[in-house]
Amino acid sequence: MKKINLILLTALNFILIGCSTQSNQTTRIDPKKIHELDANYGIEDLHIFTNSMMQSMLRSPLFKTDKINIFIGNIQLGKGITEHIDIKLLQNSIQNNLLNSTKVNISSKQNLPQYYLLSGSIHAIKKDTLNRLDNYYLFTLNLTDNQTSIIKWSDEKEIRKVVFK
Amino acid sequence: MYQENSNTQYNTIRWNANDLKELSKQMINSILSSSKIDFSKKSIYSFGKIRNDSYDHIDTQALIHKISTALIKSTKMNITNNPNKSHYIFEGKISSILKQNQQSQDMFFSFNLILTQQKTKKIIWSHDIEIRKVYKRNLLDW
């Protein structure tokens, strides 16, 4: 009887360890996969924004002729942003996409006679009501001619996330 | 639930994304259909301050960016972020009136935008957009 109890107890232990290992497992997933944990800004939004802006930018007449010079400027955060957004990560993502397009020269200094300043902003309007979280993000990006100060290309991307409580 | 394209389904009595989209859309249409604004591309336009005189925390820069992005995409106007290099400047304000009792709330937003010639300080164009929202408490909520 005691032996059977011991075997049963040992088996139960293994089962419990197995279950706990399953529930606490960390797995790697594709960085581009949509895996939402909450309604805040996430890596998915960075990808959506970058892809959308790149598609729009490369369709612009600015990119039809020779390679253009671009200086990556600042992306401002609006008042409604409550979480930490890594602007540098966003700038690097845009820069890498531009370089891969082979249609631009990226300058690290604003010392060329003619270039386009890439700048932008992220704004958010967040609502926290009784039954839902409603987060709206507005990404805007511009290319400004440094000689004329005229904005030659601009586009926006809206993202809205709703979480029901 | 995740929505990539914002829609008007979820509304609140206070300022929200739907109001931002509606006010900017109507103002953009008004600007682009105006006969008083010079679309010859000889003029350069910029945006000054949009004052928030309303009850709510409104990021008026978001409104400016939505409008200026649409105007640039239309290719009908030259827009600059540098007011010193512009011939004309857009400025405005948002105000609101909120009324409420135990049964309902009534929110009215007004967005006024004017276009001034920098050199002469003459007001070339002006437009008002109004939004009104009503919230009625469900009797069963009591």
Side-chain angles (χ1 to χ4, degrees), chain B residues 44-68:
Chain B
I44 302 175
Y45 299 84
S46 67
F47 283 81
K49 199 171 166 58
I50 293 180
R51 224 171 61 224
N52 177 19
D53 287 347
S54 77
Y55 286 102
D56 290 330
H57 293 292
I58 296 178
D59 186 353
T60 53
Q61 278 295 312
L63 199 50
I64 289 173
H65 288 152
K66 271 202 84 67
I67 296 171
S68 62

Side-chain angles (χ1 to χ4, degrees), chain B residues 3 16 47 64 93 105 115 120 124-125 127 139:
Chain B
Q3 293 178 334
N16 63 38
F47 283 81
I64 289 173
K93 73 169 186 156
Q105 290 176 309
L115 180 64
T120 62
I124 304 293
W125 168 94
H127 194 65
L139 288 173

Side-chain angles (χ1 to χ4, degrees), chain B residues 78-96:
Chain B
N78 286 325
I79 308 280
T80 178
N81 280 330
N82 186 347
N84 294 330
K85 300 235 173 163
S86 69
H87 303 113
Y88 298 92
I89 187 161
F90 286 102
E91 291 165 310
K93 73 169 186 156
I94 297 182
S95 41
S96 67

Side-chain angles (χ1 to χ4, degrees), chain A residues 123 127 149 156 158 160 162, chain B residues 1 3 15 59 66 80:
Chain A
H123 298 275
K127 291 288 159 191
S149 296
E156 67 174 34
E158 294 170 315
R160 192 161 180 177
V162 176
Chain B
M1 181 179 149
Q3 293 178 334
W15 175 262
D59 186 353
K66 271 202 84 67
T80 178

